[in-house]
Amino acid sequence: MNPLRTMAWQRSLACCLTLALVLAGCANPQQHRAPRNAASIILAGVVVDGVRLAGEREAGLVRVWRDGRSVEGQTGLTLLRGDFIETGPRADAVIRFANGSTLYMRPDSRGRIGSLSEAVGEFFARIKGVFSIESSFVRAAANGTAFLVRAQADGETHVTVFEGNVYVDSTRGAWQRISVGAGQAIVAQARASPVTVADDNDIRRTQEWADRLDRLLSQPSSSGSSVGGAIAVGVAIAAAAVLLSGRDKDDKPRGDRTDSSRSPTTPALAAPSARGIGSTDAVRAPTITCNRPIRLSWGAAHGSRDYLVTLQTRNSMRSAWATTLTEATDNQYLAVAAQEGRAYRWFVQARDAGRTGPASDTLYFGCGSTPR
C-alpha cells in the first residue's frame, strides 16, 4: 500500500475524531453559557399541554413584554423586573428566582415580574425568603412558605396556604391584613371572606401539578450533553468509516452503492383536523345542551398511534381557562361530560411511540340551560 495514501487516510480519520470531540463539547450549549448574574430571575422551563417540555425553538407558547416590545418566552430566558409575562392556552411556565423561590404558572395566566403583580390566572409559589403575588385588589405576601393563588380578571382572588403563614391584605387599604395558616384558604376582593379550611383535593391536585412540572424540568441536562456527545462521536466515526470503506485492499476507490437496509426518515406527525363540537371563533362559539356526554371528533393524522384530547373550561369570560380532562384514545372521537352554564374549548394531538404532534385548531363551545 502506498505509504503517502495511508498517511492521508490516517489524517482524515484523525480530523473526523477531532470534529467529534468538538461537537460533543457543543452538544448542550446551555451548559456552556456564561454564568448569569446572581440576581437573575430565570424562565426555567415551559411545559406544553402538561406532558412535555417545549422544544428549543418552539414559539408562541409564552410571551414576555419588555419596554413595549414582545420577547419570545423560551427556556433559559433571563427575566427582568418590570417584565410582563403571559402563558398561552397550552403552556405552563416555571420561573426560578435568585433566592431559590419557584413560581409555577398555569396556562392563560399573566403578571408583572418583581415578585409578581398585576396577576391574573393561577399561580403556585414555593418560597424561600420574601415573596408576594398581587392582583388588582388583593396582595398575598409570605416568607418561606408555599401557597396557591387564583386571581380573576375582576380582582377576586382565592388564596390557599400549603405551608407556613401567608398575609393577605387589600392593595387599596379596604380591610386589615389577615394571617392565613397552613391548610387554610380565603377569598377576597373589595372585601375579604372569613378564613376557611382548604379543599384537600385542591391541595392534592396542585401539588401533583407542580411535582409533574418539576419532574419534567429535572430531566438531566448532562444526559443531553452525553447523549449529544455520543451522537456526535458516532456520526464522526461513521463518517470516517465511510471514508475508509471507500477503498479496497489495493487502495482503489469502490463504486457508489445504495444501502437498501437504511431506514427512511420518520415523517413528522401532522395535526389532526378537529371537526366538532365547536367553532374556532370563540366569540361565535355555539351553545349546546350538555345534559348527557357530548362527542368530540376529528380527522385522522397519518402515522398516529393514538390521540391526546385536552378539554378546558371556565365559568365566566373574565376567569382563566382550567384543564378538566387530558385523555388518550385510539378512536377519532371521544365522549366527554360537560356542565351547564360553562364555556369550553378543546384540541387534539396525534401521538406515536415517544412523540406528540402539534395540536389541532382549538374549538370553542358553550353549555346552555337544559330545555324543560
Side-chain angles (χ1 to χ4, degrees):
M1 181 183 296
N2 188 327
L4 293 178
R5 295 294 297 277
T6 300
M7 292 176 62
W9 284 110
Q10 289 174 342
R11 284 196 299 271
S12 297
L13 179 59
C15 289
C16 287
L17 293 176
T18 301
L19 175 62
L21 296 176
V22 172
L23 291 174
C26 298
N28 192 356
Q30 291 189 359
Q31 288 195 337
H32 298 277
R33 290 178 179 172
R36 299 183 186 275
N37 186 299
S40 290
I41 304 169
I42 305 299
L43 179 55
V46 177
V47 172
V48 185
D49 303 324
V51 296
R52 64 175 178 86
L53 294 176
E56 184 178 351
R57 299 186 181 277
E58 195 167 357
L61 298 168
V62 175
R63 187 70 58 186
V64 176
W65 297 92
R66 177 179 299 167
D67 298 329
R69 61 187 180 89
S70 174
V71 178
E72 194 68 45
Q74 295 184 328
T75 299
L77 176 68
T78 298
L79 299 172
L80 306 178
R81 295 183 183 277
D83 284 352
F84 192 86
I85 182 170
E86 54 184 344
T87 55
R90 300 175 55 205
D92 296 283
V94 179
I95 299 172
R96 301 203 193 279
F97 293 76
N99 65 358
S101 297
T102 303
L103 179 69
Y104 306 81
M105 298 178 63
R106 289 272 195 187
D108 287 318
S109 298
R110 59 186 185 270
R112 191 170 301 280
I113 297 296
S115 283
L116 191 78
S117 60
E118 303 174 41
V120 174
E122 184 171 342
F123 311 87
F124 179 58
R126 285 175 171 158
I127 303 307
K128 296 179 181 179
V130 178
F131 190 88
S132 67
I133 298 178
E134 181 179 318
S135 67
S136 54
F137 285 94
V138 180
R139 179 188 303 108
N143 188 346
T145 185
F147 63 102
L148 170 72
V149 171
R150 290 192 183 97
Q152 297 183 9
D154 62 1
E156 182 176 285
T157 303
H158 299 241
V159 179
T160 301
V161 180
F162 290 57
E163 301 171 7
N165 278 20
V166 173
Y167 297 97
V168 179
D169 67 345
S170 168
T171 60
R172 305 184 183 190
W175 35 274
Q176 296 296 317
R177 187 176 73 169
I178 299 171
S179 177
V180 185
Q184 295 182 326
I186 191 173
V187 180
Q189 190 188 33
R191 297 180 180 180
S193 69
V195 174
T196 61
V197 176
D199 184 337
D200 288 340
N201 289 329
D202 201 19
I203 290 176
R204 175 182 54 79
R205 284 192 298 266
T206 301
Q207 288 177 329
E208 289 174 351
W209 166 59
D211 290 345
R212 183 174 70 252
L213 298 189
D214 284 340
R215 285 194 298 272
L216 288 169
L217 266 63
S218 67
Q219 295 174 357
S221 58
S222 59
S223 67
S225 177
S226 60
V227 170
I231 292 173
V233 171
V235 168
I237 290 176
V242 169
L243 286 174
L244 292 174
S245 65
R247 60 192 181 97
D248 57 19
K249 292 181 180 180
D250 296 327
D251 205 22
K252 296 178 182 178
R254 297 176 179 173
D256 293 339
R257 297 181 179 178
T258 300
D259 185 358
S260 59
S261 66
R262 183 178 301 163
S263 299
T265 302
T266 303
L269 285 170
S273 54
R275 292 175 176 169
I277 300 170
S279 166
T280 56
D281 187 342
V283 176
R284 295 179 173 84
T287 299
I288 62 174
T289 299
C290 300
N291 58 350
R292 64 186 64 185
I294 59 177
R295 181 183 172 108
L296 311 178
S297 64
W298 55 90
H302 180 72
S304 62
R305 179 196 66 193
D306 60 10
Y307 299 92
L308 186 67
V309 181
T310 299
L311 179 69
Q312 298 176 323
T313 185
R314 64 182 182 186
N315 56 15
S316 74
M317 291 294 292
R318 295 176 295 182
S319 59
W321 291 98
T323 298
T324 62
L325 176 143
T326 303
E327 186 171 331
T329 176
D330 296 333
N331 301 317
Q332 290 171 235
Y333 61 88
L334 183 68
V336 299
Q339 297 179 8
E340 295 294 319
R342 284 183 168 267
Y344 287 89
R345 69 182 184 188
W346 68 278
F347 55 86
V348 59
Q349 296 163 276
R351 302 195 305 181
D352 66 5
R355 295 192 305 166
T356 300
S360 67
D361 288 338
T362 299
L363 296 188
Y364 297 79
F365 66 92
C367 288
S369 299
T370 303
R372 296 186 181 276

